[in-house]
Amino acid sequence: MSKGAKIGIGILIGLVVIVLIIYSSVRNMYNGFVQLDENVNVSWSQVQNVYQRRFDLIPNLVETVKGYAEHEQETFQAVTEARSRVGGVINLDAADLTPENLAQFQSAQAGLSNALQRLMVVVENYPQLKANENFIRLQDELAGTENRIATERMRFNQAVQQYNSTIRRFPQMIFAGMFGFTQKAYFEAAEGAEEAPQVQF
């Protein structure tokens, strides 16, 4: 074999090795994006899960309070309407987590939280209701659910932060854009959240 042929084969082998290294790097990068995207999806599913739990508890809570406070129809109507608005956005797909969609989701959830706060103010006027075992159990479940919501929102934001940071780094940002991975929106504090709500159970 001539010296020129050996050099040509050496160059060809070198090119194949370089192509394999690049392919392996890009594949690993893409798979990393997929894993981080799935982490965001799983975190979002868990956020929806705990919001769904709250959504499901509300009718039982309202019915229990109704038994004691039948003349508070305006409050019951507000809770029902707020719950209905939440029902329209509760199944937001993780792929659609644009800042606008997430803001709409948060707005509906905030409306429901405000309606629940008003319901709890009504409860204060009915001492016999506050002593009702069923109400106490529902109240505890709702309080536990609110804690879970806060925890899952924090975990979701952590997953989004890791995902967004990764796809914005160089050289990942080049490939993330090529593969269609875009930034996700964070949960942000609702307007007026700096003031603690005045809710008493």
Side-chain angles (χ1 to χ4, degrees):
M1 184 177 288
S2 72
K3 187 175 180 179
K6 287 180 183 180
I7 291 175
I9 290 174
I11 291 173
L12 182 62
I13 290 172
L15 288 174
V16 168
V17 168
I18 290 171
V19 167
L20 287 175
I21 289 171
I22 291 172
Y23 169 78
S24 178
S25 296
V26 170
R27 185 193 68 202
N28 290 340
M29 198 178 301
Y30 178 83
N31 290 340
F33 296 155
V34 169
Q35 181 63 50
L36 292 172
D37 188 48
E38 283 304 308
N39 288 347
V40 170
N41 293 341
V42 167
S43 295
W44 178 246
S45 293
Q46 192 55 30
V47 166
Q48 286 185 303
N49 182 35
V50 291
Y51 272 120
Q52 183 70 50
R53 176 179 164 76
R54 179 174 77 165
F55 184 81
D56 294 341
L57 282 172
I58 291 169
N60 294 333
L61 186 66
V62 169
E63 287 304 314
T64 301
V65 175
K66 267 186 183 178
Y68 287 85
E70 290 187 21
H71 64 281
E72 302 287 353
Q73 289 302 318
E74 183 180 321
T75 302
F76 301 139
Q77 185 67 28
V79 172
T80 302
E81 289 172 3
R83 185 175 181 270
S84 177
R85 283 190 293 278
V86 165
V89 296
I90 202 164
N91 292 321
L92 178 62
D93 190 81
D96 296 327
L97 289 178
T98 63
E100 297 81 21
N101 288 344
L102 194 53
Q104 183 182 8
F105 181 89
Q106 284 184 263
S107 175
Q109 294 295 346
L112 183 56
S113 293
N114 290 337
L116 284 173
Q117 289 173 5
R118 289 200 332 245
L119 181 65
M120 291 305 133
V121 168
V122 166
V123 167
E124 285 301 307
N125 297 325
Y126 300 92
Q128 69 277 21
L129 172 60
K130 292 189 335 184
N132 177 287
E133 187 177 316
N134 193 31
F135 176 76
I136 292 169
R137 184 179 54 77
L138 287 168
Q139 174 186 315
D140 288 345
E141 284 187 45
L142 189 59
T145 299
E146 293 296 333
N147 289 336
R148 288 182 188 140
I149 287 170
T151 299
E152 295 305 334
R153 284 175 58 152
M154 178 194 66
R155 289 179 181 161
F156 171 78
N157 278 348
Q158 288 171 342
V160 169
Q161 186 270 332
Q162 185 178 12
Y163 169 85
N164 285 348
S165 295
T166 299
I167 69 166
R168 291 180 61 209
R169 287 188 196 121
F170 185 82
Q172 290 97 320
M173 64 187 289
I174 296 167
F175 294 101
M178 286 174 35
F179 294 131
F181 291 95
T182 57
Q183 288 189 52
K184 306 277 187 190
Y186 290 96
F187 263 110
E188 295 178 3
E191 196 172 310
E194 66 278 358
E195 297 176 22
Q198 300 298 315
V199 180
Q200 297 176 340
F201 290 119

